[in-house]
Protein backbone atom coordinates (compact mmCIF):
# COMPACT_ATOMS: atom_id res chain seq x y z
CA UNK A 1 0.00 0.00 0.00
CA UNK A 2 2.77 2.44 0.95
CA UNK A 3 4.55 1.94 -2.38
CA UNK A 4 1.32 2.63 -4.27
CA UNK A 5 0.88 5.92 -2.41
CA UNK A 6 4.50 6.91 -3.08
CA UNK A 7 4.20 6.03 -6.75
CA UNK A 8 0.94 8.01 -7.05
CA UNK A 9 2.58 11.07 -5.46
CA UNK A 10 5.49 10.90 -7.88
CA UNK A 11 3.23 10.38 -10.93
CA UNK A 12 1.11 13.41 -9.99
CA UNK A 13 4.26 15.48 -9.66
CA UNK A 14 5.67 14.36 -13.02
CA UNK A 15 2.33 15.04 -14.73
CA UNK A 16 2.30 18.55 -13.25
CA UNK A 17 5.73 19.52 -14.64
CA UNK A 18 4.84 18.22 -18.11
CA UNK A 19 1.64 20.29 -17.98
CA UNK A 20 3.74 23.38 -17.15
CA UNK A 21 5.80 22.64 -20.25
CA UNK A 22 2.65 22.60 -22.37
CA UNK A 23 1.48 25.94 -20.94
CA UNK A 24 4.87 27.61 -21.43
CA UNK A 25 5.18 26.34 -24.99
CA UNK A 26 2.45 28.81 -25.99
CA UNK A 27 4.68 31.72 -24.92
CA UNK A 28 7.67 30.73 -27.05
CA UNK A 29 7.35 32.92 -30.12
CA UNK A 30 11.05 33.36 -30.85
CA UNK A 31 14.39 31.68 -30.23
CA UNK A 32 15.35 34.07 -27.42
CA UNK A 33 12.06 33.17 -25.70
CA UNK A 34 12.97 29.48 -25.89
CA UNK A 35 16.51 29.99 -24.58
CA UNK A 36 16.13 32.96 -22.20
CA UNK A 37 12.42 33.36 -21.49
CA UNK A 38 12.45 36.78 -23.17
CA UNK A 39 14.40 38.16 -20.16
CA UNK A 40 11.19 38.37 -18.13
CA UNK A 41 11.95 36.41 -14.95
CA UNK A 42 10.99 37.93 -11.61
CA UNK A 43 13.49 38.13 -8.72
CA UNK A 44 12.10 35.18 -6.75
CA UNK A 45 11.87 32.87 -9.77
CA UNK A 46 15.38 33.95 -10.80
CA UNK A 47 16.82 33.14 -7.38
CA UNK A 48 15.12 29.82 -6.78
CA UNK A 49 15.42 28.51 -10.34
CA UNK A 50 19.13 29.43 -10.40
CA UNK A 51 19.84 27.50 -7.22
CA UNK A 52 17.55 24.58 -8.10
CA UNK A 53 19.23 24.23 -11.50
CA UNK A 54 22.60 24.45 -9.77
CA UNK A 55 22.18 21.88 -7.00
CA UNK A 56 20.84 18.88 -8.97
CA UNK A 57 20.49 15.37 -7.53
CA UNK A 58 23.94 15.98 -6.06
CA UNK A 59 22.26 17.92 -3.23
CA UNK A 60 19.98 15.11 -2.05
CA UNK A 61 22.07 12.11 -3.08
CA UNK A 62 25.72 12.98 -3.74
CA UNK A 63 26.42 15.25 -0.74
CA UNK A 64 24.56 13.14 1.87
CA UNK A 65 26.32 10.06 0.45
CA UNK A 66 29.70 11.74 0.87
CA UNK A 67 28.91 12.70 4.49
CA UNK A 68 27.63 9.17 5.17
CA UNK A 69 30.88 7.56 3.99
CA UNK A 70 33.63 9.90 5.18
CA UNK A 71 32.14 12.13 7.86
CA UNK A 72 31.57 15.85 8.07
CA UNK A 73 34.87 17.31 6.85
CA UNK A 74 34.73 16.60 3.09
CA UNK A 75 31.03 17.44 2.81
CA UNK A 76 31.18 20.48 5.10
CA UNK A 77 34.16 22.17 3.44
CA UNK A 78 32.60 21.52 0.03
CA UNK A 79 29.34 23.07 1.26
CA UNK A 80 31.16 26.09 2.73
CA UNK A 81 32.98 26.65 -0.56
CA UNK A 82 29.71 26.44 -2.48
CA UNK A 83 27.92 28.82 -0.11
CA UNK A 84 30.70 31.42 -0.44
CA UNK A 85 30.81 30.93 -4.21
CA UNK A 86 27.05 31.38 -4.48
CA UNK A 87 27.05 34.67 -2.60
CA UNK A 88 30.08 36.14 -4.39
CA UNK A 89 28.70 35.10 -7.78
CA UNK A 90 25.40 36.88 -7.11
CA UNK A 91 27.24 39.85 -5.64
CA UNK A 92 29.78 40.63 -8.37
CA UNK A 93 28.74 38.70 -11.49
CA UNK A 94 24.94 38.67 -11.67
CA UNK A 95 24.23 42.34 -12.34
CA UNK A 96 27.20 42.82 -14.66
CA UNK A 97 26.49 39.83 -16.86
CA UNK A 98 22.82 40.87 -17.17
CA UNK A 99 23.95 44.35 -18.19
CA UNK A 100 26.76 43.30 -20.54
CA UNK A 101 24.92 40.50 -22.36
CA UNK A 102 22.02 42.84 -23.05
CA UNK A 103 24.35 45.59 -24.28
CA UNK A 104 26.17 43.12 -26.55
CA UNK A 105 22.81 41.67 -27.73
CA UNK A 106 23.68 38.14 -26.60
CA UNK A 107 21.38 35.48 -25.21
CA UNK A 108 23.91 32.64 -24.95
CA UNK A 109 27.28 32.55 -23.17
CA UNK A 110 29.34 31.54 -26.27
CA UNK A 111 27.77 34.36 -28.29
CA UNK A 112 28.65 36.85 -25.55
CA UNK A 113 32.30 35.77 -25.48
CA UNK A 114 32.79 36.43 -29.21
CA UNK A 115 30.99 39.77 -29.19
CA UNK A 116 32.70 40.99 -26.02
CA UNK A 117 36.22 40.32 -27.35
CA UNK A 118 35.65 41.35 -30.96
CA UNK A 119 35.97 37.83 -32.36
CA UNK A 120 34.41 38.27 -35.81
CA UNK A 121 35.42 34.76 -36.91
CA UNK A 122 33.46 33.28 -34.00
CA UNK A 123 36.31 31.05 -32.85
CA UNK A 124 35.43 31.73 -29.22
CA UNK A 125 31.80 30.86 -29.88
CA UNK A 126 32.79 27.54 -31.41
CA UNK A 127 35.20 26.58 -28.61
CA UNK A 128 32.75 27.61 -25.88
CA UNK A 129 29.92 25.68 -27.54
CA UNK A 130 32.09 22.55 -27.74
CA UNK A 131 33.05 22.93 -24.07
CA UNK A 132 29.38 23.16 -23.09
CA UNK A 133 28.50 20.01 -24.99
CA UNK A 134 31.54 18.07 -23.70
CA UNK A 135 30.88 18.79 -20.03
CA UNK A 136 27.09 19.00 -20.04
CA UNK A 137 26.56 15.54 -21.48
CA UNK A 138 28.16 13.77 -18.49
CA UNK A 139 26.52 16.31 -16.15
CA UNK A 140 23.11 15.44 -17.59
CA UNK A 141 24.02 11.76 -17.42
CA UNK A 142 24.57 12.11 -13.66
CA UNK A 143 20.99 13.32 -13.30
CA UNK A 144 19.59 10.45 -15.30
CA UNK A 145 21.72 8.04 -13.22
CA UNK A 146 20.20 9.49 -10.03
CA UNK A 147 16.68 8.83 -11.35
CA UNK A 148 17.61 5.27 -12.23
CA UNK A 149 19.06 4.69 -8.75
CA UNK A 150 15.98 6.17 -7.12
CA UNK A 151 13.43 3.88 -8.74
CA UNK A 152 15.70 0.85 -8.77
CA UNK A 153 16.47 1.18 -5.06
CA UNK A 154 12.90 1.92 -3.98
CA UNK A 155 10.71 -0.19 -6.22
CA UNK A 156 13.13 -2.78 -7.57
CA UNK A 157 12.64 -1.49 -11.13
CA UNK A 158 15.21 -2.20 -13.79
CA UNK A 159 17.79 0.60 -13.52
CA UNK A 160 17.99 1.32 -17.25
CA UNK A 161 14.21 1.32 -17.75
CA UNK A 162 13.63 3.67 -14.83
CA UNK A 163 16.33 6.03 -16.09
CA UNK A 164 14.88 6.16 -19.62
CA UNK A 165 11.35 6.92 -18.38
CA UNK A 166 12.65 9.75 -16.19
CA UNK A 167 14.65 11.16 -19.09
CA UNK A 168 11.57 11.12 -21.33
CA UNK A 169 9.63 13.26 -18.84
CA UNK A 170 12.47 15.78 -18.53
CA UNK A 171 12.90 16.01 -22.29
CA UNK A 172 9.12 16.38 -22.76
CA UNK A 173 8.62 19.56 -20.75
CA UNK A 174 12.02 20.93 -21.72
CA UNK A 175 11.43 20.63 -25.49
CA UNK A 176 7.89 21.94 -25.16
CA UNK A 177 8.39 24.95 -22.92
CA UNK A 178 12.08 25.80 -23.24
CA UNK A 179 13.75 28.13 -20.73
CA UNK A 180 10.51 29.51 -19.30
CA UNK A 181 9.21 26.01 -18.53
CA UNK A 182 12.56 25.05 -17.03
CA UNK A 183 12.60 28.14 -14.81
CA UNK A 184 8.98 27.81 -13.65
CA UNK A 185 9.37 24.12 -12.88
CA UNK A 186 12.67 24.88 -11.16
CA UNK A 187 10.81 27.26 -8.84
CA UNK A 188 8.34 24.51 -7.95
CA UNK A 189 11.14 21.96 -7.71
CA UNK A 190 13.14 24.16 -5.36
CA UNK A 191 10.13 24.28 -3.03
CA UNK A 192 9.72 20.49 -3.20
CA UNK A 193 13.47 20.08 -2.59
CA UNK A 194 13.22 22.31 0.49
CA UNK A 195 10.28 20.29 1.84
CA UNK A 196 12.17 17.07 1.14
CA UNK A 197 15.24 18.30 3.04
CA UNK A 198 13.32 19.53 6.08
CA UNK A 199 11.03 16.49 6.30
CA UNK A 200 13.94 14.11 5.74
CA UNK A 201 15.67 15.43 8.85
CA UNK A 202 12.57 15.65 11.03
CA UNK A 203 11.49 12.05 10.47
CA UNK A 204 14.94 10.47 10.78
CA UNK A 205 14.98 10.20 14.56
CA UNK A 206 15.97 12.07 17.68
CA UNK A 207 18.79 14.58 17.41
CA UNK A 208 20.48 13.34 20.59
CA UNK A 209 20.64 9.77 19.28
CA UNK A 210 22.05 10.95 15.97
CA UNK A 211 24.84 12.94 17.61
CA UNK A 212 25.64 10.17 20.10
CA UNK A 213 26.10 7.58 17.35
CA UNK A 214 28.16 9.98 15.25
CA UNK A 215 30.47 10.94 18.12
CA UNK A 216 31.25 7.27 18.62
CA UNK A 217 33.08 7.27 15.26
CA UNK A 218 36.56 8.84 15.57
CA UNK A 219 36.92 11.97 13.47
CA UNK A 220 33.44 11.68 11.94
CA UNK A 221 32.17 15.06 13.14
CA UNK A 222 35.49 16.88 12.89
CA UNK A 223 36.27 19.70 10.44
CA UNK A 224 40.02 19.21 10.72
CA UNK A 225 40.10 15.43 10.67
CA UNK A 226 38.11 12.84 8.79
CA UNK A 227 36.71 9.38 9.48
CA UNK A 228 38.24 6.32 7.82
CA UNK A 229 35.76 3.44 7.61
CA UNK A 230 38.56 1.07 6.58
CA UNK A 231 40.53 1.54 9.81
CA UNK A 232 37.73 2.95 12.02
CA UNK A 233 40.05 5.80 12.99
CA UNK A 234 40.50 9.53 12.48
CA UNK A 235 42.88 10.89 9.86
CA UNK A 236 44.21 14.49 9.79
CA UNK A 237 42.62 16.93 7.35
CA UNK A 238 45.29 19.21 5.88
CA UNK A 239 44.98 22.92 5.01
CA UNK A 240 45.69 22.02 1.38
CA UNK A 241 42.74 19.63 1.40
CA UNK A 242 40.54 22.36 2.89
CA UNK A 243 41.61 24.77 0.13
CA UNK A 244 40.90 22.04 -2.41
CA UNK A 245 37.32 21.52 -1.19
CA UNK A 246 36.67 25.26 -0.83
CA UNK A 247 37.67 25.54 -4.51
CA UNK A 248 34.24 24.17 -5.40
CA UNK A 249 33.07 27.77 -4.98
CA UNK A 250 35.20 28.87 -7.95
CA UNK A 251 33.01 26.76 -10.22
CA UNK A 252 30.08 29.15 -9.93
CA UNK A 253 31.72 31.79 -12.10
CA UNK A 254 31.64 29.40 -15.06
CA UNK A 255 28.29 27.63 -14.76
CA UNK A 256 26.28 28.41 -17.95
CA UNK A 257 22.93 27.28 -16.50
CA UNK A 258 23.37 29.62 -13.51
CA UNK A 259 24.67 32.54 -15.58
CA UNK A 260 21.65 32.23 -17.88
CA UNK A 261 19.38 32.93 -14.89
CA UNK A 262 21.27 36.15 -14.22
CA UNK A 263 20.86 37.13 -17.87
CA UNK A 264 17.13 36.41 -17.86
CA UNK A 265 15.90 38.57 -14.97
CA UNK A 266 13.40 41.24 -15.96
CA UNK A 267 14.97 44.06 -13.90
CA UNK A 268 18.64 43.98 -12.88
CA UNK A 269 17.88 46.20 -9.89
CA UNK A 270 15.91 43.30 -8.38
CA UNK A 271 18.99 41.08 -8.28
CA UNK A 272 19.72 42.23 -4.72
CA UNK A 273 16.54 40.53 -3.52
CA UNK A 274 17.38 37.47 -5.62
CA UNK A 275 20.84 37.31 -4.04
CA UNK A 276 19.42 37.28 -0.53
CA UNK A 277 16.85 34.61 -1.30
CA UNK A 278 19.38 32.42 -3.11
CA UNK A 279 22.08 32.73 -0.44
CA UNK A 280 19.75 31.87 2.43
CA UNK A 281 18.30 28.89 0.58
CA UNK A 282 21.75 27.54 -0.33
CA UNK A 283 23.12 27.75 3.22
CA UNK A 284 20.07 26.00 4.68
CA UNK A 285 19.82 23.31 1.99
CA UNK A 286 23.53 22.44 2.05
CA UNK A 287 23.56 22.23 5.85
CA UNK A 288 20.53 19.96 5.91
CA UNK A 289 21.93 17.78 3.11
CA UNK A 290 25.11 17.14 5.11
CA UNK A 291 23.01 16.40 8.18
CA UNK A 292 20.97 13.83 6.24
CA UNK A 293 24.18 11.87 5.66
CA UNK A 294 24.94 12.03 9.41
CA UNK A 295 21.39 10.93 10.26
CA UNK A 296 21.62 8.08 7.75
CA UNK A 297 24.79 6.71 9.30
CA UNK A 298 23.24 6.96 12.75
CA UNK A 299 20.23 4.96 11.57
CA UNK A 300 22.60 2.37 10.09
CA UNK A 301 24.43 2.06 13.41
CA UNK A 302 21.05 1.70 15.14
CA UNK A 303 20.15 -1.18 12.80
CA UNK A 304 17.25 0.61 11.08
CA UNK A 305 19.01 0.75 7.69
CA UNK A 306 21.50 -1.68 6.17
CA UNK A 307 25.12 -0.59 5.73
CA UNK A 308 25.71 1.17 2.41
CA UNK A 309 29.07 1.12 0.65
CA UNK A 310 30.60 2.91 -2.35
CA UNK A 311 28.18 4.69 -4.69
CA UNK A 312 25.24 2.97 -2.95
CA UNK A 313 25.72 5.46 -0.10
CA UNK A 314 24.05 8.00 -2.40
CA UNK A 315 20.72 6.22 -1.90
CA UNK A 316 20.67 6.98 1.84
CA UNK A 317 17.79 9.46 1.57
CA UNK A 318 15.83 6.88 -0.45
CA UNK A 319 16.36 4.36 2.36
CA UNK A 320 15.18 6.89 4.94
CA UNK A 321 12.06 7.68 2.87
CA UNK A 322 11.31 3.99 2.41
CA UNK A 323 11.56 3.41 6.17
CA UNK A 324 9.26 6.36 6.76
CA UNK A 325 6.63 5.06 4.31
CA UNK A 326 5.96 1.99 6.46
CA UNK A 327 4.37 4.05 9.26
CA UNK A 328 0.99 4.88 7.71
CA UNK A 329 -0.71 6.75 4.85
CA UNK A 330 0.34 10.23 5.97
CA UNK A 331 3.99 9.28 6.28
CA UNK A 332 3.84 7.46 2.95
CA UNK A 333 2.69 10.70 1.29
CA UNK A 334 5.53 12.57 3.00
CA UNK A 335 7.93 9.90 1.75
CA UNK A 336 6.54 10.46 -1.74
CA UNK A 337 7.25 14.18 -1.40
CA UNK A 338 10.84 13.44 -0.33
CA UNK A 339 11.38 11.21 -3.35
CA UNK A 340 9.71 13.74 -5.61
CA UNK A 341 12.26 16.17 -4.18
CA UNK A 342 15.04 13.96 -5.50
CA UNK A 343 13.40 13.98 -8.91
CA UNK A 344 12.99 17.75 -8.61
CA UNK A 345 16.67 18.19 -7.88
CA UNK A 346 17.58 16.04 -10.85
CA UNK A 347 15.12 17.56 -13.29
CA UNK A 348 15.86 21.15 -12.32
CA UNK A 349 19.46 20.76 -13.40
CA UNK A 350 19.02 18.40 -16.34
CA UNK A 351 16.51 20.67 -18.08
CA UNK A 352 18.81 23.70 -17.81
CA UNK A 353 21.80 21.70 -19.01
CA UNK A 354 19.90 20.33 -21.98
CA UNK A 355 18.81 23.83 -23.01
CA UNK A 356 22.32 25.24 -22.71
CA UNK A 357 23.78 22.37 -24.73
CA UNK A 358 21.04 22.64 -27.34
CA UNK A 359 21.61 26.37 -27.76
CA UNK A 360 25.33 25.71 -28.23
CA UNK A 361 24.69 23.42 -31.18
CA UNK A 362 21.63 24.90 -32.86
CA UNK A 363 22.29 28.59 -32.26
CA UNK A 364 26.03 29.04 -31.66
CA UNK A 365 27.48 26.42 -34.01
CA UNK A 366 24.94 26.23 -36.85
CA UNK A 367 23.83 29.87 -36.95
CA UNK A 368 26.68 31.92 -35.47
CA UNK A 369 29.70 29.92 -36.68
CA UNK A 370 28.55 28.31 -39.94
CA UNK A 371 26.01 31.07 -40.78
CA UNK A 372 23.25 28.64 -41.73
CA UNK A 373 20.17 30.80 -42.14
CA UNK A 374 16.96 29.15 -40.94
CA UNK A 375 13.61 30.53 -39.84
CA UNK A 376 12.74 31.13 -36.18
CA UNK A 377 10.39 28.16 -36.18
CA UNK A 378 13.01 25.90 -37.78
CA UNK A 379 15.64 27.07 -35.30
CA UNK A 380 13.40 26.13 -32.37
CA UNK A 381 12.75 22.72 -33.93
CA UNK A 382 16.50 22.17 -34.34
CA UNK A 383 16.96 23.09 -30.68
CA UNK A 384 14.32 20.58 -29.64
CA UNK A 385 15.84 17.82 -31.75
CA UNK A 386 19.23 18.63 -30.25
CA UNK A 387 17.80 18.23 -26.74
CA UNK A 388 16.59 14.73 -27.67
CA UNK A 389 19.94 13.71 -29.21
CA UNK A 390 21.95 14.92 -26.21
CA UNK A 391 19.56 13.07 -23.89
CA UNK A 392 20.09 9.81 -25.77
CA UNK A 393 23.89 10.18 -25.50
CA UNK A 394 23.56 10.99 -21.79
CA UNK A 395 21.44 7.88 -21.23
CA UNK A 396 24.11 5.74 -22.87
CA UNK A 397 26.81 7.27 -20.64
CA UNK A 398 24.71 6.71 -17.51
CA UNK A 399 23.82 3.11 -18.33
CA UNK A 400 26.21 1.78 -15.64
CA UNK A 401 24.24 1.52 -12.36
CA UNK A 402 27.47 1.69 -10.33
CA UNK A 403 28.34 5.19 -11.56
CA UNK A 404 28.77 7.79 -8.79
CA UNK A 405 26.63 10.93 -9.03
CA UNK A 406 29.11 12.86 -6.88
CA UNK A 407 32.13 11.91 -9.00
CA UNK A 408 30.44 12.75 -12.30
CA UNK A 409 29.18 16.10 -11.05
CA UNK A 410 32.53 17.06 -9.51
CA UNK A 411 34.32 16.47 -12.82
CA UNK A 412 31.80 18.42 -14.92
CA UNK A 413 31.71 21.21 -12.32
CA UNK A 414 35.50 21.49 -12.50
CA UNK A 415 35.35 21.54 -16.29
CA UNK A 416 33.03 24.53 -16.46
CA UNK A 417 34.69 26.30 -13.56
CA UNK A 418 38.15 26.16 -15.17
CA UNK A 419 37.17 26.84 -18.80
CA UNK A 420 34.49 29.51 -18.33
CA UNK A 421 35.11 30.92 -14.82
CA UNK A 422 38.29 32.93 -15.59
CA UNK A 423 36.84 34.00 -18.95
CA UNK A 424 33.64 35.36 -17.38
CA UNK A 425 35.58 37.29 -14.72
CA UNK A 426 37.93 38.80 -17.32
CA UNK A 427 35.04 39.61 -19.66
CA UNK A 428 33.27 41.56 -16.93
CA UNK A 429 36.14 43.14 -15.00
CA UNK A 430 39.36 43.32 -17.08
CA UNK A 431 39.42 45.52 -20.14
CA UNK A 432 42.92 44.46 -21.24
CA UNK A 433 42.00 40.84 -21.98
CA UNK A 434 41.92 40.05 -25.71
CA UNK A 435 40.52 37.24 -27.83
CA UNK A 436 43.87 35.45 -28.06
CA UNK A 437 44.32 35.36 -24.31
CA UNK A 438 40.73 34.26 -23.76
CA UNK A 439 41.02 31.51 -26.37
CA UNK A 440 44.28 30.22 -24.87
CA UNK A 441 42.88 30.41 -21.33
CA UNK A 442 39.73 28.52 -22.19
CA UNK A 443 41.63 25.74 -23.95
CA UNK A 444 44.34 25.46 -21.27
CA UNK A 445 41.73 25.33 -18.49
CA UNK A 446 39.85 22.51 -20.20
CA UNK A 447 43.01 20.53 -20.97
CA UNK A 448 44.34 20.94 -17.42
CA UNK A 449 41.14 19.41 -16.00
CA UNK A 450 41.82 16.17 -17.87
CA UNK A 451 45.59 16.26 -17.28
CA UNK A 452 45.24 16.80 -13.53
CA UNK A 453 42.30 14.44 -13.03
CA UNK A 454 43.71 11.49 -14.97
CA UNK A 455 47.43 12.16 -14.70
CA UNK A 456 48.97 14.43 -12.08
CA UNK A 457 46.51 13.57 -9.28
CA UNK A 458 47.59 9.92 -9.52
CA UNK A 459 50.92 10.96 -7.98
CA UNK A 460 49.07 11.40 -4.68
CA UNK A 461 50.10 13.60 -1.77
CA UNK A 462 49.83 17.32 -2.51
CA UNK A 463 48.81 16.49 -6.08
CA UNK A 464 45.59 14.76 -5.05
CA UNK A 465 43.71 18.06 -4.71
CA UNK A 466 40.51 18.84 -6.59
CA UNK A 467 41.40 19.49 -10.22
CA UNK A 468 39.36 22.70 -10.40
CA UNK A 469 41.84 24.65 -8.24
CA UNK A 470 45.02 24.17 -10.33
CA UNK A 471 43.14 24.33 -13.63
CA UNK A 472 41.43 27.62 -12.69
CA UNK A 473 44.76 29.18 -11.70
CA UNK A 474 46.47 27.99 -14.90
CA UNK A 475 43.65 29.32 -17.11
CA UNK A 476 43.70 32.72 -15.42
CA UNK A 477 47.48 33.03 -15.73
CA UNK A 478 47.40 32.02 -19.40
CA UNK A 479 44.74 34.66 -20.16
CA UNK A 480 46.85 37.40 -18.57
CA UNK A 481 50.18 36.31 -20.10
CA UNK A 482 48.88 35.74 -23.64
CA UNK A 483 46.78 38.94 -23.63
CA UNK A 484 49.84 41.03 -22.75
CA UNK A 485 52.11 39.09 -25.13
CA UNK A 486 49.77 39.71 -28.08
CA UNK A 487 49.34 43.43 -27.52
CA UNK A 488 46.01 43.50 -25.73
CA UNK A 489 42.58 44.20 -27.26
CA UNK A 490 41.82 46.63 -30.08
CA UNK A 491 40.77 50.20 -29.40
CA UNK A 492 37.21 49.43 -30.50
CA UNK A 493 36.90 46.54 -28.03
CA UNK A 494 38.11 48.68 -25.13
CA UNK A 495 35.82 51.59 -26.06
CA UNK A 496 32.78 49.30 -26.20
CA UNK A 497 33.68 47.78 -22.82
CA UNK A 498 34.04 51.24 -21.22
CA UNK A 499 30.81 52.43 -22.80
CA UNK A 500 28.81 49.55 -21.35
CA UNK A 501 30.58 49.79 -17.99
CA UNK A 502 29.68 53.46 -17.58
CA UNK A 503 26.01 53.13 -18.51
Amino acid sequence: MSQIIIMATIIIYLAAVVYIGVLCSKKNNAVDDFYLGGRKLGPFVTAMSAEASDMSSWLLMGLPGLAYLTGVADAAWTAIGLAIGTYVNWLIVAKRIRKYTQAYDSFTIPDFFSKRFGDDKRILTLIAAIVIVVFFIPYTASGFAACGKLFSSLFGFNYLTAMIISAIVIVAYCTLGGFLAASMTDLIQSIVMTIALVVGVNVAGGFDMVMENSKALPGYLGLFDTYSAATNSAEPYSLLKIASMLAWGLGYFGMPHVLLRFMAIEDEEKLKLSRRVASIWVVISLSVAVFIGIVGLSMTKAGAIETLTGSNSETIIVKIAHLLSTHGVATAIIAGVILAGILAATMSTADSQLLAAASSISQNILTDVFHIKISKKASMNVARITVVIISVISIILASNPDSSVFEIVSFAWAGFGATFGPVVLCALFWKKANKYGITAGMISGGIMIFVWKYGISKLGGIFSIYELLPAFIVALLVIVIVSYATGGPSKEVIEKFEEVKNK
Side-chain angles (χ1 to χ4, degrees), residues 189-305:
Q189 288 158 356
S190 68
I191 295 172
V192 175
M193 287 162 67
T194 303
I195 294 173
L197 287 166
V198 173
V199 173
V201 171
N202 287 339
V203 302
F207 181 79
D208 291 339
M209 181 192 72
V210 170
M211 299 309 293
E212 183 178 338
N213 288 334
S214 299
K215 288 178 180 178
L217 301 174
Y220 188 82
L221 294 178
L223 281 177
F224 299 99
D225 45 29
T226 186
Y227 171 67
S228 172
T231 61
N232 193 35
S233 61
E235 296 181 354
Y237 207 79
S238 68
L239 291 176
L240 183 61
K241 182 67 172 177
I242 292 174
S244 173
M245 303 313 286
L246 287 175
W248 274 79
L250 293 174
Y252 274 109
F253 301 127
M255 292 299 127
H257 49 302
V258 176
L259 298 174
L260 284 172
R261 263 60 183 185
F262 298 159
M263 294 162 58
I265 193 168
E266 183 178 17
D267 183 358
E268 63 186 53
E269 297 303 322
K270 295 179 181 179
L271 282 168
K272 185 175 182 180
L273 174 59
S274 297
R275 181 178 74 240
R276 291 173 177 172
V277 172
S279 299
I280 292 172
W281 187 84
V282 163
V283 170
I284 294 174
S285 62
L286 287 172
S287 300
V288 175
V290 173
F291 192 60
I292 286 175
I294 298 173
V295 168
L297 183 66
S298 176
M299 296 178 77
T300 295
K301 295 299 179 182
I305 296 175

Side-chain angles (χ1 to χ4, degrees), residues 47-347:
M48 297 305 282
S49 68
E51 299 317 314
S53 67
D54 156 40
M55 287 303 171
S56 75
S57 54
W58 177 90
L59 175 67
L60 290 170
M61 297 184 76
L63 193 59
L66 181 65
Y68 178 92
L69 281 182
T70 64
V72 169
D74 269 350
W77 287 115
T78 300
I80 291 170
L82 288 171
I84 295 172
T86 296
Y87 181 79
V88 174
N89 202 31
W90 279 95
L91 182 65
I92 69 173
V93 172
K95 187 173 182 178
R96 282 213 174 200
I97 202 165
R98 169 67 171 81
K99 178 180 178 180
Y100 275 71
T101 53
Q102 188 169 34
Y104 283 92
D105 192 26
S106 306
F107 56 88
T108 68
I109 297 299
D111 182 45
F112 170 61
F113 288 162
S114 280
K115 290 180 177 178
R116 160 66 180 87
F117 295 104
D119 176 27
D120 297 331
K121 294 182 179 180
R122 297 285 178 166
I123 302 299
L124 280 174
T125 297
L126 179 61
I127 295 173
I130 292 173
V131 167
I132 285 176
V133 173
V134 167
F135 287 111
F136 262 155
I137 287 179
Y139 211 149
T140 305
S142 73
F144 292 166
C147 290
K149 286 186 178 185
L150 168 63
F151 288 107
S152 177
S153 173
L154 186 64
F155 301 111
F157 290 173
N158 176 269
Y159 169 81
L160 187 59
T161 302
M163 183 180 64
I164 291 174
I165 293 174
S166 303
I168 289 173
V169 173
I170 296 171
V171 170
Y173 77 78
C174 191
T175 54
L176 284 170
F179 183 85
L180 189 58
S183 296
M184 293 305 295
T185 52
D186 285 353
L187 172 62
I188 296 172
Q189 288 158 356
S190 68
I191 295 172
V192 175
M193 287 162 67
T194 303
I195 294 173
L197 287 166
V198 173
V199 173
V201 171
N202 287 339
V203 302
F207 181 79
D208 291 339
M209 181 192 72
V210 170
M211 299 309 293
E212 183 178 338
N213 288 334
S214 299
K215 288 178 180 178
L217 301 174
Y220 188 82
L221 294 178
L223 281 177
F224 299 99
D225 45 29
T226 186
Y227 171 67
S228 172
T231 61
N232 193 35
S233 61
E235 296 181 354
Y237 207 79
S238 68
L239 291 176
L240 183 61
K241 182 67 172 177
I242 292 174
S244 173
M245 303 313 286
L246 287 175
W248 274 79
L250 293 174
Y252 274 109
F253 301 127
M255 292 299 127
H257 49 302
V258 176
L259 298 174
L260 284 172
R261 263 60 183 185
F262 298 159
M263 294 162 58
I265 193 168
E266 183 178 17
D267 183 358
E268 63 186 53
E269 297 303 322
K270 295 179 181 179
L271 282 168
K272 185 175 182 180
L273 174 59
S274 297
R275 181 178 74 240
R276 291 173 177 172
V277 172
S279 299
I280 292 172
W281 187 84
V282 163
V283 170
I284 294 174
S285 62
L286 287 172
S287 300
V288 175
V290 173
F291 192 60
I292 286 175
I294 298 173
V295 168
L297 183 66
S298 176
M299 296 178 77
T300 295
K301 295 299 179 182
I305 296 175
E306 72 270 24
T307 300
L308 302 174
T309 59
S311 63
N312 286 330
S313 65
E314 295 177 340
T315 63
I316 183 60
I317 193 172
V318 180
K319 301 298 183 184
I320 292 174
H322 180 65
L323 183 65
L324 172 66
S325 69
T326 61
H327 290 79
V329 175
T331 54
I333 294 175
I334 294 174
V337 172
I338 293 175
L339 297 172
I342 299 174
L343 282 177
T346 303
M347 295 165 69

